[in-house]
Amino acid sequence: QVQLVESGGGSVQAGGSLRLSCATFGYTYNTNYMGWFRQAPGKEREGIAAMNTAGGSTYYADSLEGRFTISQDNAKNTLYLQMNSLKPEDTAMYYCAAGLRTYAGWRTFGDSWYEARSYVYWGQGTQVTVSS
């Protein structure tokens, strides 16, 4: 059984930085595919960054404007999300996801990384609050 445990959320002022961590327990080949999502109150879950931890390919939502960086530490089985120049609109619950799930019409991870249905396993989330 794969478990994902996020940490590193908190409250920060606009312009500040946070680094989220996602510790992975219980490895399968499928957990090479990992992503970060966020969900603000009243909004849909949004895919913001993803990584094929085996090949190193990374993917980002255009809306981030280069402020976030996804990375991994294989020795620690941990995925990170470095968030810089935070804005109040970044306030949300942030979730780690892993495990590739294919579906009708699925083509490649590069085409589907931002869709929640592309992942099997989810963490419990960590809250990020950015004040102006």
Side-chain angles (χ1 to χ4, degrees):
Q1 181 69 20
V2 174
Q3 286 187 312
L4 307 176
V5 180
E6 301 101 331
S7 60
S11 297
V12 64
Q13 289 192 327
S17 298
L18 285 173
R19 189 178 78 159
L20 306 184
S21 300
C22 174
T24 304
F25 302 92
Y27 171 81
T28 72
Y29 76 95
N30 219 10
T31 51
N32 287 334
Y33 300 93
M34 301 190 72
W36 286 101
F37 286 71
R38 66 185 181 186
Q39 188 167 20
K43 294 189 176 182
E44 293 187 354
R45 191 167 295 193
E46 173 191 17
I48 56 174
M51 187 172 197
N52 178 341
T53 62
S57 299
T58 57
Y59 308 89
Y60 296 96
D62 291 340
S63 61
L64 298 181
E65 301 172 323
R67 297 181 294 119
F68 294 5
T69 303
I70 190 171
S71 63
Q72 61 172 323
D73 185 332
N74 284 334
K76 296 181 178 180
N77 290 329
T78 299
L79 186 75
Y80 300 102
L81 185 69
Q82 178 67 43
M83 305 186 297
N84 298 327
S85 302
L86 283 162
K87 304 176 181 180
E89 49 264 45
D90 294 319
T91 295
M93 184 72 79
Y94 283 70
Y95 297 92
C96 175
L100 185 64
R101 185 198 306 272
T102 60
Y103 47 84
W106 185 93
R107 295 189 297 175
T108 69
F109 184 65
D111 292 325
S112 64
W113 66 267
Y114 56 91
E115 295 191 83
R117 60 177 174 167
S118 296
Y119 300 88
V120 177
Y121 308 104
W122 291 84
Q124 80 290 349
T126 186
Q127 178 68 37
V128 171
T129 302
V130 185
S131 57
S132 57

